[in-house]
Amino acid sequence: LPVTIHSADEVTVYVVVEEKFLVENVEFSGNKAIKTKEIKEELKLDKVASIDEETLDRIARAIERLYHEENRHHARVECRFEQMPNNPDKVKAIFSIHEGQKLLIKRVFFKGNASFESRKIMQFVNTRENWILSFLDSAGTYNEEMLEMDKHNIEYFYRDHGYLMVKVAKTDVDIDEKSGDISVTF
């Protein structure tokens, strides 16, 4: 901001203000996995009356998060304004969605577990392999926060069984770009 100092008692500050655009319409393209109506309802886009670049970008990132919840972790959303020809104060917000393929966990491995079988440890983790009835229990869903929680759950399990110094060193996530299959190794 430009500031002009006149004296020790007097300062002039100039503030440049940009008005937000009035939203006439919000359009989506490329969305097949999540319907336009669902996106608008989830993000309450019908209540958006005015918009600027920052808000537009924030909405695009929120749409990407919706796609992440649908196991489409490579989803990208591009956004832009288009001024209405009949009224330059109003804009159309346009979101171009590139959904990417659905990514599912196909295999979960455990390394270094000499004292307990993998199937025993699997009882204490939320990260599961995809299977035919995954829609009932969200098995196969990849979630980074859940992986972090699972690391702690494995450590608690071992500590409960007398292994006080146990540490899950890392979690490796391998994504097969061709098939979209994910392998997780604790």
Side-chain angles (χ1 to χ4, degrees), residues 26-31 36 39-40 45 59 63 93-97:
V26 179
E27 287 184 5
F28 299 91
S29 65
N31 57 314
T36 298
I39 295 171
K40 284 183 174 183
L45 295 181
I59 292 169
I63 294 169
I94 300 171
F95 297 93
S96 300
I97 301 170

Side-chain angles (χ1 to χ4, degrees), residues 74-92:
H74 291 299
R76 289 181 301 108
V77 178
E78 297 170 2
C79 52
R80 63 184 171 87
F81 292 123
E82 193 175 286
Q83 284 192 314
M84 301 307 291
N86 57 343
N87 187 346
D89 293 333
K90 290 189 175 184
V91 296
K92 179 180 358 178

